[in-house]
Amino acid sequence: MNKQDNLEIMRHSASHVMAGAILSMFPGARFGIGPAIEDGFYYDFDLPRPLTPEDLPVIEANMKEIVGADLPFERREIGKSEAKQVFASQPYKLELLEEIPDDKVGVYRQGGFVDLCRGPHVGSTGDVKAFKLTSIAGAYWRGDEHNAMLQRIYGVAFNSQKELDEHLAQLEEAKKRDHRKLGKELEIFIFDDLVGPGLPLWLPRGGAMIEEIEKLAKEMEFKHGYVRVRTPHISKEDLFKQSGHLPYYAESMYPPMELEGVRYYLKPMNCPMHHRIFASKMRSYRDLPLRLAEYGACYRYEKSGELFGVMRTRSMIMNDSHIYCTEGQFEQEFTGVIFLYLEYFKIFGIKEYIMRLSTHHPSGLGKKYVDNQSLWLKTEDMVRKAMNDNNIPFHEVADEAAFYGPKIDVQIKSAVGREFTLATNQVDFAQSINCDLKFINKDGQEERPLIIHRAPLSTHERLIGFLLEHYAGAFPAWLAPVQVKIIPVSDRHNEHATKVAVALKGHAIRAEVDDRSERMNQKIRQAQLEKVPYMVVIGDKETADNSVSVRRRSGEQLPAQPLAAFIDGLTEEISNRR
RNA sequence: GCCCACAUAGCUCAGUCGGUAGAGCACAUUCUUGGUAAGAAUGGGGUCAUCGGUUCGAAUCCGAUUGUGGGCUCCA
């Protein structure tokens, strides 16, 4: 048994200790489940009153007493009928019992607390080491929103106080790069009460980043044979009826607006409109693959509790494209998209991600998923083969697919630990049928195209949220909202500093002059806090010979150089996106 | 949407037992004109999220609403 397993067992035991503490405080408590999780554990309880943060230290103190008492964890195997007696007053445990196929079940006891549990556990409560209760939260019984809401207590646990302290310090550190904090501090975006929740306003600095990202996407997509289209933000209801979205998606759509007896919806995705463009004329196999690209603004009515800064919003601008291709072209197109991801990730230095193949689950056919199992199996195999043939690592998760087909999602974690899908690459075998899309094949016969939905650069919202955390706000020069801060040493240098700014802007470099009557040190400090990649100090010397004294964000100071040389160097750095 | 918590100046936050508000930063003005991470003084700025209730009196207690946060559910 390795160290990791031991730690997991200890965390699981910590959850039992916590349950024991809860039982002593609330004798009528009903217990859900209490597993070990990454860094710690949780336990779900059904209690006579809501817990508040003030309860946590009390529960913790109680747990420490149980740990101090060093009570043994006693395991017993008992028959199911006996177990039903033991847990007669524990409805959640009885529900779990019903689903265990074996005749015998394991129960663990420490002190007065008995739990239905497969184990294993540490020897005694004294083996539970450094822990801290971190938060209380609501959680549906068995994760189903139709079930009762239980109270969950989260805790972290480690083998030593030192490791625990390090972990807590790390969490504090991570909070500093939370995109919500940085987005406000660096003036990238805001949310305004009058505009509405989940509807970000991009400030000029965020706007500059969006321009750069779109420029990148347009270059890459042009290079890879995409053509750009533009589509409206709203359409008639009929469009979404035809595409098949309405029954699956209506809940996440802003309610329709009705004009002259016609219902219109804000679009939650761009595909149906792109499909209309595909269908706008007779297509030949010679036209395929057809790759339609657009930065499309979509609106989704996400439930209020699901919003999360700019990572999860109600309005979003998607790096969208739909690739219409033949079955024979599929693998090349699909892997082409994956390679496009990798090209982007290299530019951004993104290394910590997981590619996830999301497949259907037979139980959802006709409900969550289009009811055509043979096409599901076939396209899932196509994706697996495309990934394997190109040696691209991925892991597979059932029951996570889109309603129209399997997909490869790129999963990333936010600074505060929440997981998100950044990019997505989806197969769609359903909409070409729903939308009656066809092309004429070599034999002169009508055939359905396969569709690939892809968004390697996610949405502007989620990508910029991610990049804020990824770079901790210190963007590379090409992406930085302000690339150069020009710092006059004293007011008499403002005039020349402005000339330098004009020269930089003439070369499409985003430069700002800090012409406040402040000391140079203060201006440098300000530029550092704004995480501007280059600071250019202008004093007597520089004014006299049109040179620049350059300081990097790292604090490194470059030797004095002619303004023209600085412009050349920076232009090169920016155009290569280094 | 659900459970819990929170909401005080543009930002970050104090505000004790209920007696009509304070700091730092930012902003404005003045002085200072400086060489690689904070020069100084003065000043303006708040219906204490909103609405209602309790009270002689509410930033403070209670309720509702809105927003935010931690989760659950759900997702680019």
Side-chain angles (χ1 to χ4, degrees), chain A residues 161-382:
Chain A
Q161 188 63 37
K162 184 166 171 278
E163 287 169 275
L164 174 62
D165 290 343
E166 278 168 8
H167 175 75
L168 296 174
Q170 207 180 316
L171 288 183
E172 282 307 306
E173 221 26 60
K175 276 187 194 165
K176 290 184 189 163
R177 48 166 75 202
D178 188 321
H179 78 278
R180 292 167 297 186
K181 179 177 152 68
L182 288 173
K184 191 188 278 184
E185 283 174 2
L186 300 177
E187 299 187 5
I188 306 296
F189 58 82
I190 54 159
F191 289 93
D192 186 287
D193 282 357
L194 288 178
V195 178
L199 303 170
L201 302 178
W202 293 100
L203 303 174
R205 295 188 177 187
M209 293 183 68
I210 286 177
E211 294 292 332
E212 284 297 338
I213 291 165
E214 291 204 6
K215 195 171 145 208
L216 170 66
K218 283 171 186 169
E219 281 173 25
M220 294 279 263
E221 285 165 4
F222 180 78
K223 189 169 86 182
H224 287 97
Y226 290 77
V227 287
R228 306 199 76 77
V229 295
R230 304 287 274 180
T231 61
H233 292 203
I234 65 170
S235 76
K236 296 198 315 194
E237 174 182 42
D238 294 357
L239 180 69
F240 299 108
K241 273 189 182 162
Q242 190 206 46
S243 69
H245 281 100
L246 216 45
Y248 293 94
Y249 223 87
E251 231 180 70
S252 305
M253 290 164 74
Y254 274 86
M257 44 201 134
E258 199 166 322
L259 290 151
E260 298 181 337
V262 182
R263 281 146 74 95
Y264 291 85
Y265 279 98
L266 277 166
K267 65 176 172 184
M269 66 276 296
N270 304 299
C271 31
M273 297 206 188
H274 288 182
H275 299 343
R276 295 328 300 154
I277 292 174
F278 180 91
S280 66
K281 66 176 198 179
M282 183 67 84
R283 302 285 178 180
S284 154
Y285 72 95
R286 295 172 186 279
D287 299 328
L288 304 187
L290 177 67
R291 309 182 189 93
L292 302 180
E294 174 179 21
Y295 258 107
C298 297
Y299 299 85
R300 298 180 184 175
Y301 197 82
E302 307 288 1
K303 292 178 190 170
S304 56
E306 291 165 351
L307 302 174
F308 179 66
V310 93
M311 298 279 241
R312 187 78 181 277
T313 54
R314 285 179 174 164
S315 72
M316 68 210 81
I317 306 165
M318 295 180 66
N319 171 230
D320 212 354
S321 171
H322 296 91
I323 300 173
Y324 303 85
C325 65
T326 66
E327 231 180 277
Q329 292 166 334
F330 173 80
E331 182 173 341
Q332 191 180 348
E333 287 305 308
F334 195 83
T335 52
V337 172
I338 299 284
F339 286 127
L340 182 61
Y341 285 14
L342 298 175
E343 226 178 315
Y344 281 129
F345 292 177
K346 200 173 164 198
I347 292 172
F348 292 110
I350 300 174
K351 296 190 182 98
E352 313 233 320
Y353 61 85
I354 292 166
M355 290 216 184
R356 181 179 78 182
L357 167 58
S358 302
T359 58
H360 80 295
H361 192 277
S363 68
L365 289 172
K367 296 191 283 274
K368 275 168 81 174
Y369 305 121
V370 172
D371 196 3
N372 188 333
Q373 189 160 27
S374 65
L375 266 175
W376 276 103
L377 295 172
K378 184 172 162 187
T379 50
E380 284 164 7
D381 273 342
M382 287 168 77

Side-chain angles (χ1 to χ4, degrees), chain A residues 407-443:
Chain A
K407 57 179 179 170
I408 294 285
D409 286 332
V410 177
Q411 299 300 112
I412 52 104
K413 266 192 185 173
S414 79
V416 292
R418 262 196 243 184
E419 191 176 297
F420 286 94
T421 300
L422 186 67
T424 188
N425 190 10
Q426 314 182 340
V427 188
D428 180 347
F429 53 78
Q431 285 191 60
S432 65
I433 301 169
N434 295 340
C435 301
D436 195 26
L437 304 184
K438 56 204 175 201
F439 65 93
I440 306 300
N441 67 17
K442 274 184 186 149
D443 306 320

Side-chain angles (χ1 to χ4, degrees), chain A residues 80 84 91-101 116:
Chain A
K80 242 183 177 174
K84 282 182 190 170
Y92 304 107
K93 297 295 175 189
L94 288 176
E95 197 178 321
L96 293 174
L97 264 176
E98 285 304 320
E99 289 171 26
I100 297 174
L116 175 68

Side-chain angles (χ1 to χ4, degrees), chain A residues 46 92 138-151:
Chain A
D46 187 350
Y92 304 107
Y140 298 110
W141 167 237
R142 316 207 79 178
D144 185 331
E145 61 183 324
H146 305 293
N147 287 343
M149 177 66 70
L150 305 180
Q151 300 194 68

